[in-house]
């Protein structure tokens, strides 16, 4: 099953020392306003896809969609929890990590396009296995994971492809995540 948080942890670890911040960016959220700021989040975590702009999620503690963090701030949070298999809830738990680390989330100002700022291409009918909650997952998804994150993500790089996107170098990783059915029995169907 899909595990967005673990994949972001892997991306962070594999990015090396030549980057100073990360953009946690949902692949199904396309920015439509060129005024959106993707620059270095010097003053702390910067939530580009704030609740005032996201076409679907409008609650105050929402930090999903697009979030920029310095590498130091991401490490301070120990990354994201690896317990969230399937779609959703990992960013809600990450909000608690951000607050627990004493960080303040900043959001865009002066953007006048409101809910038309992004196009959201998420279709719940596609990949139903990633929508379903199974076993004890329903109870676990609301707990804060105080131990897991960057320190215990387990994975293998299956392949690495170097390419160029609009003239910028890009590395595409094919990642195989380790599914520990003792720790998270909901990581697989079977």
């Amino acid at each position: 099953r899909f595990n967005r948080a673990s994949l972001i942890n892997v991306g962070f670890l594999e990015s090396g020392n030549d980057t100073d911040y990360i953009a946690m960016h949902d692949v199904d959220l396309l920015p439509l306003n060129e005024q959106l700021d993707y620059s270095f989040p010097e003053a702390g975590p910067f939530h580009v896809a704030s609740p005032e702009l996201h076409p679907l999620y409008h609650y105050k503690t929402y930090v999903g969609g697009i979030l920029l963090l310095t590498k130091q701030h991401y490490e301070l949070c120990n990354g994201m929890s690896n317990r969230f298999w399937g779609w959703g809830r990992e960013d809600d738990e990450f909000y608690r990590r951000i607050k627990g680390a004493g960080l303040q989330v900043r959001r865009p100002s002066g953007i006048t396009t409101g809910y038309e700022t992004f196009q959201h291409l998420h279709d719940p009918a596609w990949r139903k296995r990633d929508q379903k909650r199974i076993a004890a997952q329903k109870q676990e998804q609301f707990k804060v994971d105080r131990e897991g994150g960057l320190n215990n993500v387990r994975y293998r790089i299956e392949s690495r492809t170097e390419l160029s996107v609009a003239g910028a170098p890009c590395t595409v990783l094919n990642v195989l995540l380790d599914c520990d059915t003792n720790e998270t029995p909901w990581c697989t169907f079977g």
Side-chain angles (χ1 to χ4, degrees):
R1 297 181 75 201
F2 180 69
N3 187 323
R4 176 181 178 265
S6 290
L7 291 172
I8 291 171
N9 285 339
V10 170
F12 177 90
L13 293 170
E14 293 293 323
S15 67
N17 293 326
D18 58 345
T19 57
D20 51 8
Y21 74 104
I22 64 169
M24 299 165 44
H25 202 303
D26 285 3
V27 297
D28 61 0
L29 191 63
L30 303 178
L32 301 175
N33 187 323
E34 291 184 16
Q35 294 177 330
L36 291 168
D37 186 4
Y38 280 80
S39 63
F40 182 77
E42 188 170 352
F46 186 71
H47 189 210
V48 179
S50 70
E52 299 81 22
L53 304 175
H54 196 286
L56 186 59
Y57 303 115
H58 307 138
Y59 56 97
K60 184 179 165 185
T61 59
Y62 176 67
V63 292
I66 307 166
L67 181 67
L68 311 177
L69 292 100
T70 66
K71 291 189 88 172
Q72 292 79 15
H73 288 154
Y74 196 73
E75 286 175 329
L76 191 61
C77 296
N78 187 26
M80 299 182 80
S81 172
N82 299 304
R83 297 182 58 78
F84 292 88
W85 294 87
W87 203 264
R89 302 281 186 220
E90 75 286 339
D91 45 4
D92 296 324
E93 197 269 351
F94 191 61
Y95 176 82
R96 293 183 188 108
R97 288 175 181 243
I98 290 170
K99 288 299 183 185
L103 300 171
Q104 183 69 37
V105 176
R106 295 179 320 103
R107 295 195 161 120
S109 61
I111 303 292
T112 59
T113 47
Y115 298 147
E116 305 294 317
T117 305
F118 301 96
Q119 181 179 6
H120 192 235
L121 303 172
H122 187 77
D123 181 1
W126 189 69
R127 291 185 59 145
K128 287 183 185 249
R129 71 176 183 265
D130 289 325
Q131 301 293 326
K132 190 174 180 181
R133 304 281 178 251
I134 56 176
Q137 186 178 11
K138 285 184 181 182
Q139 293 77 30
E140 291 290 320
Q141 69 188 9
F142 293 104
K143 294 180 182 177
V144 177
D145 178 5
R146 304 215 184 273
E147 287 125 37
L150 283 174
N151 63 320
N152 70 349
V153 63
R154 293 188 309 267
Y155 66 97
R156 182 173 72 237
I157 302 294
E158 297 280 290
S159 65
R160 185 181 306 261
T161 305
E162 304 294 333
L163 52 98
S164 176
V165 176
C170 181
T171 304
V172 178
L173 302 175
N174 181 12
V175 176
L176 180 63
L177 297 171
D178 184 25
C179 169
D180 183 348
T181 54
N182 291 323
E183 183 69 24
T184 54
W186 51 86
C187 62
T188 185
F189 290 118

